[in-house]
Amino acid sequence: MTAAPIGVALVGTGFGEKVHLPAFAAHHRTQVTAVYHRDAAKAQAIATAHNIPFASDNFDAILQHPNVQAVSISTPPALHYPMAKSAIVAGKHVFLEKPTTLNATDAKSLYSLAQQHRVAVTLDFEFRFIPAWQYLHELLQSGYVGNIRYIKIDWLGASRANPTRAWNWYAQRDQGGGTLGSIGSHSFDYIYWLFGEVSRLSARLSTAIHDRPDPATNTLKPVTSDDVCNITLELPNGTPIQVCLSAVTIQGRGHFIEIYGDKGTLILGNSSQTDYINGFQLLGSQNGLDLAEITIPDRLAFPQIFEDGRIAPIVRVVNQWVASIDQGCPIAPGLREGLYSQLVMDCCWESHDRGQWVNVPSLAKFLG
């Protein structure tokens, strides 16, 4: 017997229309049955363009629609908590973009609500599902590097390097904007996935471009969010993790993670400035030999490649979400993982504001 399709409402039509929509279309169990936009005419235009049956500028109407069993939320971060909360209380499953919320307290509230209402909430942490990253995880689990001595992460891009790029929510710290929320949220999730919880951290968050033009007022407005993050974290055994993130580095290095142990070294990197999913190369060394490329097993390859490289791993995240819905239990990456990423981000801002090291509570302790 074929399982019934899951009707998904698309909420957030920037990244949502470009990436979530084709990912749901590619998965055999999901179909977009409704679209929300605060502008009714734009909602209808998107619905017409993609043959979506229902469009509305009323979020409650979206939640009450009989063909909506789930909601995809890719709005600006400040809307994540209120919209996800409303959807969960309405009994809808949620596919949620990162950062989870504006703070860990709100993320904890969503975690409790999802358990109470028995709905599946999945976070779009797609790096867990990229073939090269999956094989890196396998090699670490097998003990390839031995006891880890040092971890280095660089993610240096230029998405915000142009000072004429418009001022919007991304330029505002209190709206969840900035490099920390944009890519730091991913980094903290894969650190948790690959190495476990961290014990403490020291963070310095800086702004390189201090104002940006606001098209609505034709004036320059101040940027309060971060452009560059330099963070040192420690694992419980004292192993350091150095994280350098930037959205304003023209021709920056790209995205690399280096893991040095007493038996070997693993380096995973992608120097592309335009495709942050494809192009990862995995290098390894054991017994002091030169670094050499490690072939990623075919069994981990994407079954389908899309013109937009972001879609293939998100289809795999959607698959986890569908499995969580079917099985009636959380499957990573869920709100637990989203909460932990948010908790580490909160600690980064605390460290920056206080100018000192900050202890990161364990997830079990934070959840009480």
Side-chain angles (χ1 to χ4, degrees), residues 210-224:
H210 295 282
D211 48 46
R212 291 184 180 274
D214 178 11
T217 62
N218 199 30
T219 61
L220 290 174
K221 285 193 173 180
V223 175
T224 57

Side-chain angles (χ1 to χ4, degrees), residues 2 5 7 40 44-45 120 141 159 161 167 183-184 188 216 222 270 327 351 364-365:
T2 304
Q44 188 56 59
Q141 295 290 88
S159 62
W167 181 93
I183 61 178
F188 298 144
N270 178 5
Q327 297 174 28
S351 173
K365 181 178 179 181

Side-chain angles (χ1 to χ4, degrees), residues 35 39 43 73 106-107 109 153 165 168 235 260 272 286 289:
V35 59
D39 183 315
I73 299 175
D106 285 349
S109 174
I153 295 168
R165 184 164 180 174
N168 61 6
L235 297 176
Y260 301 94
S272 173
Q286 289 182 309
L289 298 176

